[in-house]
Each structure stands twice: as C-alpha cells, then as structure tokens.
Amino acid sequence: MQLAVDLINVMRADIDRHYRVVGVGLAVPGLVDARGSVLVAPTLQWRNEPVAARMSDKLGMHVTAGNDASIGALVETRFGVARGARNLLYLGGSLRGIGGGVIMDGTLLRGTSGYAGELGHTVVNPGGIKCVCGRRGCLEAEVDLSLIEPLLGRRRLDEDELDVELGVARDPKVMTEVARQVEVLSIALTNFVNAFSPELVVLSGYLGSLLSVSRERLSAAVRLHPLGAEGRVVRLERSRLRSRLMLIGPAELAFAPILADPTTALRR
C-alpha cells in the first residue's frame, strides 16, 4: 500500500495542475466487503485488512475497493465485449490466480457480504496441486501461468507476449501442459455454465491466451457439454479491454458515488 501511495504522491503535483481528483479505485485479488475491507487475499497474504480506509487516510481522498474479478465483469458489460449482456460469467486469470464474476439479469451476484464469485477456488482435481487456500486441486492451482512459463524459458510474460509464445510453441512439454490446463478449464466451464446458465462467458488475462490457442476445445465445453445444451446458445469470448481492464475498472469504482449522487460526492 505504501508503494502505491508513494507513486500516487509523485504524480499528484502534475495531476492537480490539470484535473480535480475525485477519488481512488482499488482492485484487490481477494474477498472484499462493501466497506472496502479485505477478509482474505491468499496470494497477498492479507487477512482482515481495511485497505480502503487506510489508503484514504494516507491520501486524504475517498477510496473505494472491490474484488478485481467482479470489477472486470462489470466493466466488460459496460465497455467491453459483453456490452449489453444481462447474464454473464467472467473468469480472469493472472499471476495472482483466477477470479470470477457473475452477472445475472443485469445485476452483479454479490452473495453474503459481497463475497460471491470465488470461482478460482472451485475444486476440479481432488488430490491435485496444492492451492494457496490450503486445499488441493482448485482451478487456480491447476490452471496456472507459473506452470507454463518455466517450460517457455521466460518469466513475467504479458498477455500479448504470451499469445505469441503459445501460438508458436512446438516443445512437446509446453504443448502437453497447455492441453492439460485447457482440459481442466473446459471441465470448470461446463460446471459453471450448468450452475449459472449465462448467455456469454468472457475469459481475460492468462485464460484469454488459452482461449486464443484452444478456442475449439473450450467453445465445445460451453456449447456441447452442459445439461440442456441443445436448447442453449452460449457465446465464449475473450476480454476486449485486455490490459486496460484493471485501469478502467477501478476508475469506475471511484466515479460510482459521483454518478449516484453528484452534489454530495463533490462536496467531499
């Protein structure tokens, strides 16, 4: 948090000359409640952290925090490939794991305290790879970019670089691991489509790269395998916003209070 605050403060003088800063949006890979407190973020080793309040105190501005995948789902429906969709399943993959967001009848599924959508911790391989949550075989443990990168001989690939690397990969070890992860992801997608019956499934980040090299296999999972598949039309798409998603999404969080009540918000 201090690193983020320091970076913002370095930019503030230039920003304040040209703009009025009305708030800060923060996307967190973990369970975030309506007050902006993180119950748990396993990959960051955070527990019971009031991140929004702490950052607000440090910056002297209103801060709104939310789960990164839920933010991604909302922003894709407003500005991205899912614009206009009312029933959406969103899955985002990164070095921090896999997060999910579900929109049903135009409303983000929040659940108790806003913690719904932790689809990355759905067990898809009991007894499989140990997850940061302590269980074995979670989706985010089995479908993991860090298992691919050593085989490619590169680290910290961005989305565009990964597309290129996977698109030209001929190493049998790489191809075998990609095929394994795609098969696991296809099982998970089948289960999620059965559970939520979306009209559209959006994959972003690392999962978007897997879609780019295995569209036929993953499309078949959402089209053919679910119960009642013959009566469904489910589209499978890659996030259109790509690397901008986690810039636009938190900004939307910051603007939400102003859009809801401009007079009160701008008096802060």
Side-chain angles (χ1 to χ4, degrees), residues 46-161:
W46 288 2
R47 286 186 178 275
N48 300 315
E49 292 288 348
V51 292
R54 289 187 179 183
M55 186 167 279
S56 181
D57 289 343
K58 289 177 179 290
L59 293 173
M61 293 185 288
H62 181 68
V63 176
T64 306
N67 171 264
D68 58 348
S70 294
I71 293 169
L74 285 173
V75 174
E76 279 294 336
T77 61
R78 292 176 184 172
F79 306 111
V81 70
R83 190 169 183 174
R86 292 187 55 80
N87 293 280
L88 169 75
L89 169 65
Y90 169 91
L91 281 178
S94 71
L95 287 172
R96 295 296 186 186
I98 293 176
V102 180
I103 293 177
M104 301 185 73
D105 294 327
T107 301
L108 180 68
L109 187 64
R110 297 187 183 277
T112 304
S113 302
Y115 298 151
E118 283 298 308
L119 302 179
H121 293 288
T122 301
V123 175
V124 290
N125 182 21
I129 300 170
K130 188 170 183 180
C131 182
V132 292
C133 74
R135 296 187 298 176
R136 289 191 175 275
C138 288
L139 177 61
E140 73 170 46
E142 297 288 333
V143 180
D144 185 351
L145 175 56
S146 68
L147 300 176
I148 294 283
E149 286 183 327
L151 301 177
L152 293 171
R154 299 187 62 186
R155 292 281 185 180
R156 296 294 186 261
L157 294 166
D158 65 28
E159 204 169 330
D160 291 332
E161 291 172 332

Side-chain angles (χ1 to χ4, degrees), residues 133-207:
C133 74
R135 296 187 298 176
R136 289 191 175 275
C138 288
L139 177 61
E140 73 170 46
E142 297 288 333
V143 180
D144 185 351
L145 175 56
S146 68
L147 300 176
I148 294 283
E149 286 183 327
L151 301 177
L152 293 171
R154 299 187 62 186
R155 292 281 185 180
R156 296 294 186 261
L157 294 166
D158 65 28
E159 204 169 330
D160 291 332
E161 291 172 332
L162 186 60
D163 284 355
V164 173
E165 292 286 339
L166 293 182
V168 300
R170 293 295 179 266
D171 186 328
K173 292 182 180 179
V174 175
M175 298 172 70
T176 297
E177 178 59 20
V178 168
R180 185 196 69 80
Q181 293 196 25
V182 166
E183 183 62 26
V184 172
L185 180 57
S186 72
I187 293 170
L189 290 176
T190 299
N191 290 333
F192 298 153
V193 169
N194 274 330
F196 300 111
S197 191
E199 63 192 271
L200 177 63
V201 176
V202 176
L203 302 181
S204 75
Y206 171 49
L207 303 185

